[in-house]
Amino acid sequence: MYCTHCAYEIDERKVEMQSSSFAQVEGEIKEDTKVAYVCPRCGHLIKADCTETEIKSLSQAAHAQVQRGRNSFASGMGMLSIGAIALIVAIIFFVLAKKPSNHFELVTTCAEFYVFVVLGILSVILLSFGGLYTFRGVATKKKYLTLLKDINNRTFVQ
């Protein structure tokens, strides 16, 4: 189920496993009883049947989530490219740390080695966070574009 206000997706099975709706109601639950959930992100009620205005609100929220996914993807790609450049420069400084006066053995007390270490650590951090943001952006974008496709084809069922 999706929140019609912020497009946050909740899994009813996980929510029901944590605290069952049947156990919370002291009376009997009939077949026409409708269960509503509270969105953990924005606090609005999430129910199964949606009106046309709620579907329109969900569509707007899904468009906002697609844009957030695109922003996350762009940030991740930027981090990946800067991390790759930093890694190349770190490798260059690693080669420079092998001094010809020391028979091309690695000298760990020179400035080139310290630059290599700093750039190496920076590149690993940038590459890992860049990969994470890129993957998260692609997954978010794909999920909400599928939701928008279902809404546009009128096949969306809450």
Side-chain angles (χ1 to χ4, degrees):
M1 295 182 85
Y2 289 93
C3 175
T4 57
H5 185 258
C6 67
Y8 182 77
E9 182 182 19
I10 64 165
D11 189 7
E12 309 96 43
R13 292 176 294 222
K14 290 182 181 177
V15 173
E16 289 294 328
M17 285 174 58
Q18 290 176 355
S19 63
S20 174
S21 298
F22 184 74
Q24 291 178 1
V25 177
E26 295 175 2
E28 290 185 15
I29 294 182
K30 300 176 183 175
E31 289 186 25
D32 60 344
T33 303
K34 296 182 180 180
V35 178
Y37 301 102
V38 177
C39 177
R41 185 188 289 172
C42 67
H44 282 78
L45 284 178
I46 302 171
K47 54 187 182 205
D49 53 343
C50 295
T51 62
E52 193 65 33
T53 57
E54 289 174 337
I55 296 284
K56 186 175 180 180
S57 174
L58 177 63
S59 175
Q60 291 172 349
H63 279 299
Q65 289 294 330
V66 167
Q67 187 60 40
R68 284 189 188 102
R70 287 180 180 148
N71 289 342
S72 180
F73 177 77
S75 297
M77 290 302 288
M79 286 183 194
L80 281 174
S81 61
I82 292 172
I85 292 169
L87 182 64
I88 291 168
V89 173
I91 291 171
I92 291 171
F93 273 96
F94 179 74
V95 172
L96 289 175
K98 295 182 177 184
K99 298 288 184 182
S101 62
N102 199 16
H103 302 293
F104 294 102
E105 290 184 13
L106 184 64
V107 178
T108 60
T109 58
C110 63
E112 291 89 355
F113 182 74
Y114 295 133
V115 172
F116 157 70
V117 170
V118 170
L119 284 177
I121 291 171
L122 181 68
S123 66
V124 168
I125 291 170
L126 284 173
L127 289 173
S128 60
F129 278 112
L132 177 72
Y133 283 149
T134 302
F135 177 73
R136 189 170 53 179
V138 167
T140 301
K141 196 166 70 169
K142 181 182 177 197
K143 174 181 167 183
Y144 287 105
L145 284 175
T146 304
L147 173 65
L148 285 171
K149 187 177 179 182
D150 288 343
I151 290 173
N152 287 336
N153 292 337
R154 303 218 184 261
T155 58
F156 174 71
V157 178
Q158 182 75 313

